Amino acid sequence: MYFSVLSYFLLRKLHTLYKIININNLSNSITFEISKKNQLKIIWGLDSKNLIYTYIKINVQKYTEEKVTLSIKFMINVLTTFSNEELFLKKKRNTLNIYSKQGVYKIPTYFDSNHNKNILILCKSSFVRRISLFSKLFLKILNKTLFFSTRNEELPPILNGVFFQFFTHEANFVSTDTYRLIKYTINNFKTDQRIQFTISSKYLNIVREILKNEKKNNIIIEYYEKKNIIFYFKNHIFSCQLINENYPDYRSVIPHNNQCHVSFIINKFLLLNTIKRVSIFSKNKKNFIDFHFNHNKLKIYDQNTIDAHNSISEIKCKVFSKKMKKMKIGFNSQFLIEILSSLNEDFVYFELYHKMGVLRPLYKNLYKKKKEESIFILIMSIIKV
């Protein structure tokens, strides 16, 4: 392995990749491999089946099929000390030597068996389906479904991810932590295929970081049934495993409108700040609050109220429909804060049921947005009296 490259371009590529690795607290070892197209392939992976590929154009001095594994952090630290100059890199026995005008610098290398297999080649023999998504839309999908999706070892693996459903007329994206469920739907999505799969939130957080650097590009998703997914970005390729389990029937927990006890429209910021205020004065470490609905007034207070002046707030709301004049239901305040903070709209439509609440954003142009997208968020209640 012997090639030359401008230090600035190599540093920029590595820095983008390192940001993804560092945010997710993952292994910082990468592998260099020269392709036959005068490109340096940079490979990073959690293991042999979950890999990121990126490429940079180089001047190959001598082509070999060797691979070099090294620390990305160490390499970045060295490259930042150079101005934008041409560097020559040559593999020796246990080092990758950098030759510059100032001298020779030896980068330690080591053997890493995780990079010995190329998943992209292995999977090409499988049956593949392709879906194209605009990068801005894909980023929005992940932002809508990953806001509370944190890895919980106590949950089954299938619930530590996002469920993708592609139909000929729409696409659904679902995630849950058993206490909350969000379903984001694109109503005008067009495809000639019917595909559904689940991807771990750990991998989707990596995809989200890559998308932040992709602007106005189409993303190609290759689906290899019950095996893995490959995302083709403009500057990266990411291959990751699927969660090979059937996703629970989320439709079974969605209540019907005729079961709704109370529904009302409320200003999101008013509701959010009220919940925050009550939580600040709360003596309850479990973050449990009660909603007490009485006609068109909503009282929000800590379940273990001690000081009524500090921990009770009363706000007015526009009642849409009601079966009960009075209703009391409890929620986890932190869950509600996270849900409301994730919504961009000024008003929300809130429905109260026997054991749960359902929130939907209220769009300014309701007809237009209803045709384009819909967001359904369910939160389980703590207690109902």
Side-chain angles (χ1 to χ4, degrees):
M1 179 182 288
Y2 184 26
F3 64 92
S4 65
V5 64
L6 288 173
S7 60
Y8 171 76
F9 292 112
L10 181 57
L11 176 61
R12 189 172 64 177
K13 279 285 183 182
L14 295 181
H15 190 270
T16 300
L17 190 58
Y18 180 68
K19 185 179 178 183
I20 298 168
I21 295 169
N22 197 38
I23 287 175
N24 294 281
N25 296 314
L26 301 167
S27 169
N28 69 359
S29 63
I30 58 169
T31 297
F32 285 172
E33 179 183 349
I34 296 177
S35 71
K36 294 180 179 180
K37 298 180 180 180
N38 285 339
Q39 290 180 323
L40 177 67
K41 182 161 68 173
I42 304 169
I43 308 167
W44 167 82
L46 285 78
D47 49 52
S48 62
K49 295 184 179 180
N50 302 284
L51 307 169
I52 291 179
Y53 299 76
T54 188
Y55 297 86
I56 183 172
K57 191 170 181 61
I58 58 174
N59 296 314
V60 178
Q61 307 296 319
K62 182 180 180 181
Y63 174 77
T64 62
E65 294 184 354
E66 297 172 298
K67 297 181 181 180
V68 175
T69 302
L70 44 82
S71 165
I72 186 172
K73 185 177 181 181
F74 190 90
M75 191 69 176
I76 287 174
N77 289 340
V78 173
L79 290 173
T80 53
T81 65
F82 293 102
S83 58
N84 188 22
E85 61 179 276
E86 186 176 19
L87 301 176
F88 290 82
L89 290 83
K90 188 173 185 179
K91 183 183 182 300
K92 293 295 184 180
R93 185 174 181 180
N94 295 314
T95 62
L96 180 66
N97 291 358
I98 297 178
Y99 298 87
S100 75
K101 298 175 182 177
Q102 291 81 37
V104 181
Y105 306 92
K106 297 182 179 182
I107 308 297
T109 63
Y110 47 89
F111 177 76
D112 188 349
S113 61
N114 286 341
H115 296 296
N116 284 349
K117 295 181 180 180
N118 189 329
I119 191 70
L120 297 181
I121 295 175
L122 291 176
C123 288
K124 290 300 182 182
S125 59
S126 304
F127 178 71
V128 60
R129 299 179 185 178
R130 292 180 178 85
I131 298 170
S132 178
L133 281 175
F134 194 53
S135 58
K136 187 177 180 180
L137 175 60
F138 196 11
L139 183 59
K140 184 178 181 180
I141 291 166
L142 296 184
N143 287 336
K144 293 294 183 184
T145 54
L146 287 175
F147 72 91
F148 65 73
S149 185
T150 55
R151 191 165 181 82
N152 186 343
E153 298 297 337
E154 296 180 359
L155 291 176
I158 193 69
L159 297 182
N160 278 308
V162 175
F163 182 46
F164 291 70
Q165 284 185 306
F166 294 98
F167 302 106
T168 55
H169 59 288
E170 70 174 26
N172 295 319
F173 310 91
V174 182
S175 64
T176 181
D177 60 0
T178 71
Y179 298 104
R180 294 167 291 178
L181 181 145
I182 180 167
K183 180 170 78 79
Y184 177 54
T185 300
I186 302 173
N187 297 309
N188 59 354
F189 188 86
K190 301 293 183 182
T191 180
D192 58 351
Q193 303 182 68
R194 184 186 178 96
I195 307 171
Q196 56 185 35
F197 51 83
T198 307
I199 305 177
S200 168
S201 58
K202 175 175 66 176
Y203 302 139
L204 290 175
N205 279 317
I206 293 173
V207 171
R208 179 160 59 174
E209 289 303 316
I210 296 174
L211 284 169
K212 290 177 181 178
N213 296 298
E214 301 277 340
K215 295 182 179 180
K216 298 181 180 180
N217 295 313
N218 281 328
I219 309 304
I220 303 298
I221 302 174
E222 286 190 353
Y223 166 69
Y224 298 86
E225 190 170 2
K226 296 183 179 181
K227 291 189 176 182
N228 74 304
I229 286 282
I230 300 178
F231 299 95
Y232 290 90
F233 306 90
K234 181 180 179 181
N235 298 307
H236 296 83
I237 301 172
F238 180 37
S239 172
C240 67
Q241 288 180 297
L242 295 169
I243 300 177
N244 193 12
E245 298 177 32
N246 291 326
Y247 201 81
D249 182 13
Y250 65 88
R251 295 182 183 88
S252 64
V253 300
I254 296 177
H256 301 289
N257 286 335
N258 59 5
Q259 299 172 335
C260 179
H261 295 319
V262 177
S263 62
F264 55 92
I265 295 171
I266 193 165
N267 183 287
K268 181 195 74 174
F269 300 102
L270 176 61
L271 180 59
L272 177 60
N273 289 328
T274 301
I275 295 172
K276 286 181 178 179
R277 189 183 311 116
V278 171
S279 300
I280 290 170
F281 289 104
S282 173
K283 305 297 182 181
N284 188 342
K285 295 181 180 180
K286 293 184 178 180
N287 299 317
F288 292 170
I289 61 171
D290 278 339
F291 277 24
H292 188 183
F293 188 87
N294 188 359
H295 296 283
N296 66 335
K297 291 182 180 179
L298 178 65
K299 284 186 179 180
I300 301 175
Y301 54 91
D302 169 37
Q303 283 190 351
N304 297 322
T305 300
I306 298 176
D307 188 336
H309 295 289
N310 282 340
S311 51
I312 293 182
S313 291
E314 184 176 275
I315 52 179
K316 290 184 178 182
C317 51
K318 183 179 179 181
V319 180
F320 189 76
S321 65
K322 58 183 177 182
K323 287 185 178 181
M324 301 174 65
K325 291 182 179 180
K326 294 183 179 181
M327 183 180 182
K328 186 177 179 181
I329 187 169
F331 294 107
N332 183 307
S333 60
Q334 188 57 41
F335 288 172
L336 277 173
I337 289 170
E338 290 176 1
I339 289 170
L340 292 168
S341 299
S342 72
L343 300 175
N344 299 324
E345 290 67 36
D346 294 344
F347 289 86
V348 293
Y349 181 66
F350 208 139
E351 298 173 350
L352 299 179
Y353 294 83
H354 177 59
K355 294 181 179 179
M356 65 191 71
V358 170
L359 294 94
R360 295 181 177 89
L362 192 66
Y363 301 108
K364 290 181 179 179
N365 191 335
L366 185 60
Y367 177 74
K368 181 180 178 182
K369 282 291 182 180
K370 193 172 183 180
K371 289 182 65 177
E372 293 177 357
E373 66 178 22
S374 60
I375 300 171
F376 172 94
I377 303 175
L378 182 149
I379 177 170
M380 299 301 296
S381 64
I382 302 299
I383 188 170
K384 162 117 175 5
V385 179

